[in-house]
Amino acid sequence: MLTEQQRQDAADAILQAERTRQVCPQPSKTWPGMTLEDAYDVQRRWAEARIAGGAKIAGRKIGLTSRAMQQASRMTEPDYGVILDDALFYDGARIKAGTFIKPRLEVELAFIMGEDLRGAGCQVHDVLRATEFVQPALEIIDYRTEVPRQIVDTIADNAAFGAIVLGGRTIRPFDTDLRWIGATLSQNGVIEETGVSAAVMGHPAAGLAWLVNKLAPLGGGLKKGDIVLGGSFTRPVDISSGDVIFADFGHLGSLGVRFE
């Protein structure tokens, strides 16, 4: 367990890395006794500093939703972070690759909440009832710390969140079977990844139910208007300046961005 000062020092180091685009040492390397509780508190301090600087929380992201990624991270459950409004882009955006340190991109579905959702015992059907609509999304993930990283490093680093891109069609959650939404991800005209949304814990809303249950003991939950990334159903693809990315979600439409 870290002291209050050590937690603050870790948050400050990640903030500095983000500002300078120079990675900092892994918190777990500097403080080997770091726990999951420490890591989430470091994330909270980082987010509060960003909010003090003018950013606003736009929602939440859920990571490590596939069993393979959990095993690679030696975890038995997902993790989560916050989405800030200054990291929100839309279909057709031109994004400066230099905004990030080593960006990678994943295919996901975004849930936009139509009502608050909180409390223990949350299930997939509760998530669907509380969701106003779902739409295609891309998540840009980025590391502000050195690698290799332990799970506490990833969590402290806001679950590796870099930015989100929204596009395609918006649909009501009961208008299609959300388990079977397929997508292809093309990079510079070459399909690099394909996937289906059922790869996210069997149902893309399952991660949101997990998150609501996880936040319940802390008095938290999801709020009306929140954008929630449910988890990736493709592997991360490295991106760099000059890349043109196109994701085709079939009947849900498509979205594309260019990195400059």
Side-chain angles (χ1 to χ4, degrees):
M1 184 73 73
L2 274 58
T3 66
E4 290 292 306
Q5 187 58 55
Q6 288 171 334
R7 288 179 174 184
Q8 189 60 52
D9 289 345
D12 290 343
I14 292 171
L15 277 167
Q16 181 66 10
E18 183 178 31
R19 290 168 180 156
T20 64
R21 306 293 186 264
Q22 298 292 323
V23 294
C24 64
Q26 307 93 319
S28 65
K29 186 175 180 180
T30 305
W31 298 283
M34 191 175 195
T35 65
L36 291 177
E37 180 182 341
D38 290 326
Y40 278 115
D41 191 65
V42 170
Q43 180 191 118
R44 177 187 62 80
R45 292 167 187 257
W46 169 87
E48 288 179 349
R50 293 282 274 102
I51 292 168
K56 297 179 181 179
I57 292 181
R60 300 271 188 171
K61 70 146 286 183
I62 305 165
L64 301 181
T65 51
S66 73
R67 185 60 180 151
M69 289 300 293
Q70 289 177 15
Q71 289 176 329
S73 302
R74 298 180 181 178
M75 286 285 285
T76 58
E77 64 178 16
D79 66 358
Y80 63 88
V82 298
I83 296 173
L84 299 177
D85 65 341
D86 59 3
L88 180 59
F89 298 93
Y90 294 92
D91 180 26
R94 291 177 176 267
I95 302 173
K96 294 186 181 299
T99 303
F100 312 99
I101 298 174
K102 187 176 174 53
R104 297 188 294 168
L105 192 142
E106 299 176 331
V107 171
E108 309 199 17
L109 290 176
F111 290 70
I112 289 73
M113 305 307 298
E115 58 186 68
D116 292 352
L117 183 61
R118 63 178 60 231
C122 182
Q123 301 292 326
V124 166
H125 57 264
D126 298 312
V127 173
L128 298 179
R129 279 198 297 259
T131 298
E132 183 173 6
F133 55 84
V134 179
Q135 72 178 117
L138 300 173
E139 181 184 0
I140 301 169
I141 59 176
D142 198 22
Y143 289 167
R144 270 73 57 167
T145 73
E146 295 174 350
V147 294
R149 301 176 9 140
Q150 296 186 31
I151 186 60
V152 291
D153 302 314
T154 300
I155 291 171
D157 192 16
N158 197 30
F161 178 76
I164 175 179
V165 182
L166 293 174
R169 290 181 54 209
T170 56
I171 60 168
R172 301 288 180 179
F174 291 108
D175 285 351
T176 192
D177 188 343
L178 293 179
R179 298 173 303 164
W180 301 112
I181 295 176
T184 62
L185 178 65
S186 299
Q187 182 178 32
N188 303 322
V190 178
I191 294 178
E192 295 287 352
E193 280 296 312
T194 63
V196 64
S197 55
V200 181
M201 301 174 69
H203 193 294
L208 280 75
W210 170 86
L211 179 57
V212 171
N213 288 316
K214 191 72 174 178
L215 295 174
L218 306 176
L222 301 178
K223 299 178 181 179
K224 180 179 179 179
D226 275 354
I227 302 167
V228 188
L229 284 172
S232 175
F233 50 95
T234 62
R235 71 172 179 86
V237 173
D238 292 334
I239 51 178
S240 58
S241 180
D243 281 349
V244 176
I245 301 296
F246 181 80
D248 187 344
F249 285 75
H251 70 285
L252 288 191
S254 60
L255 67 159
V257 294
R258 181 182 181 90
F259 290 88
E260 300 178 333

